[in-house]
Amino acid sequence: MLLNFLISVLQSVPPPMIQAQYLSLTVKIRTVITSHRILVGVFRDIVPYHIVGELKKLVEEGKVKYIGFSEASAADIRRAHAIHPITAVQIEYSLWARDVEEDIIPTCQELGIGIISFSPLGRGFFSGKNITEFTDNDFRKNHPRFLSENFQANQKFYNKLVKLGQEKNCTAGQLALAWVQQKGAVPIPRTTKLKNLEENIGSLKIKLTPEEIKALEDVVPVEEVKGDRYADMSKTWRFNSSPPLDTWTGTKH
């Protein structure tokens, strides 16, 4: 599946602002429009009826081809998909963020929804580049997994990955990206340097056997990773609470 680009729409904005967000874009073809993050609290009930309903209108008007979701629980994915087919779900998925394999990925596979992996390199951890040199505006300097004691404990995973990469004649980062790809997800690693982009593209040439995939997972046992994905986990999919699915039909929006 080829995604031309993704744009994010805050779930709390009213329908007129969704149209305004659309009109502010300078391109003529919008392939995928993505509802970004499912916030807890007062905005929970408007997710399927309000936002997805409005995005559905954009599809029906021919302004957008597909709808995506981001950082959503399996229950919310089902709720949204019942209103309008969801084409792709963007979720954090990497060697040290595999909890989505419990429910979210099986749900997407069941519904025929593509999986887009953000932070597939563990926010640069598995690339090994400047992961101890943070600028003032780099949020990783306060990220739980990059704090001093946690970082030192997690460093062993990177070192083991480097050794496996040497056996495959590739970098640790390329191995990490190849793992994501061969698990059925589309990684979207962030980079600002052409050299890093070329290295990331090189991961497409790496083929892993089932034994090698297991070996990669064994060198990064998620239960031993120190630190959460975020300092505040309340805004992640794991802490979203959805009403029972039988309380709505997908026709209200």
Side-chain angles (χ1 to χ4, degrees), residues 40-98:
V40 297
V42 67
F43 299 126
R44 293 291 302 126
D45 291 338
I46 69 172
V47 173
Y49 310 138
H50 192 231
I51 297 302
V52 180
E54 291 302 316
L55 298 183
K56 177 182 178 180
K57 292 178 183 178
L58 293 180
V59 175
E60 293 172 342
E61 293 168 4
K63 297 175 180 177
V64 172
K65 290 186 177 181
Y66 308 107
I67 295 176
F69 240 35
S70 178
E71 191 70 41
S73 67
D76 282 320
I77 292 169
R78 290 185 183 277
R79 294 173 67 197
H81 195 73
I83 295 172
H84 187 278
I86 300 300
T87 296
V89 167
Q90 181 177 300
I91 203 80
E92 182 171 357
Y93 189 32
S94 69
L95 280 169
W96 72 0
R98 306 206 299 266

Side-chain angles (χ1 to χ4, degrees), residues 7-202:
I7 65 172
S8 297
V9 176
L10 293 175
Q11 71 169 78
S12 57
V13 299
M17 288 188 65
I18 293 180
Q19 289 283 351
Q21 290 277 358
Y22 169 84
L23 293 173
S24 69
L25 298 175
T26 58
V27 294
K28 293 184 178 181
I29 300 176
R30 290 85 176 176
T31 301
V32 179
I33 187 168
T34 301
S35 178
H36 194 64
R37 290 193 180 275
I38 308 303
L39 302 180
V40 297
V42 67
F43 299 126
R44 293 291 302 126
D45 291 338
I46 69 172
V47 173
Y49 310 138
H50 192 231
I51 297 302
V52 180
E54 291 302 316
L55 298 183
K56 177 182 178 180
K57 292 178 183 178
L58 293 180
V59 175
E60 293 172 342
E61 293 168 4
K63 297 175 180 177
V64 172
K65 290 186 177 181
Y66 308 107
I67 295 176
F69 240 35
S70 178
E71 191 70 41
S73 67
D76 282 320
I77 292 169
R78 290 185 183 277
R79 294 173 67 197
H81 195 73
I83 295 172
H84 187 278
I86 300 300
T87 296
V89 167
Q90 181 177 300
I91 203 80
E92 182 171 357
Y93 189 32
S94 69
L95 280 169
W96 72 0
R98 306 206 299 266
D99 51 354
V100 293
E101 293 178 340
E102 299 171 10
D103 197 11
I104 292 178
I105 288 181
T107 296
C108 289
Q109 292 173 337
E110 174 192 339
L111 299 176
I113 299 173
I115 302 164
I116 300 172
S117 162
F118 72 80
S119 297
L121 291 171
R123 295 176 175 80
F125 179 82
F126 293 115
S127 71
K129 297 181 177 67
N130 299 323
I131 52 178
T132 59
E133 301 175 11
F134 302 134
T135 60
D136 291 340
N137 61 350
D138 192 328
F139 85 101
R140 291 179 300 176
K141 66 181 181 180
N142 296 316
H143 191 286
R145 292 181 176 176
F146 289 89
L147 296 180
S148 181
E149 292 185 2
N150 289 343
F151 178 79
Q152 292 177 14
N154 292 331
Q155 186 66 28
K156 62 185 178 183
F157 306 132
Y158 172 72
N159 294 336
K160 292 179 181 179
L161 199 61
V162 169
K163 292 181 179 179
L164 290 180
Q166 292 171 343
E167 296 175 7
K168 292 284 289 184
N169 195 30
C170 65
T171 66
Q174 288 176 324
L175 266 187
L177 290 176
W179 178 87
V180 171
Q181 294 161 25
Q182 291 180 230
K183 294 289 282 190
V186 178
I188 49 172
R190 177 182 180 275
T191 185
T192 59
K193 297 179 176 61
L194 180 59
K195 179 181 178 181
N196 295 342
L197 174 62
E198 292 173 343
E199 179 181 320
N200 293 341
I201 293 174

Side-chain angles (χ1 to χ4, degrees), residues 168 182 207-214:
K168 292 284 289 184
Q182 291 180 230
K207 304 302 178 184
L208 302 174
T209 66
E211 292 75 20
E212 289 172 329
I213 290 176
K214 184 179 185 304

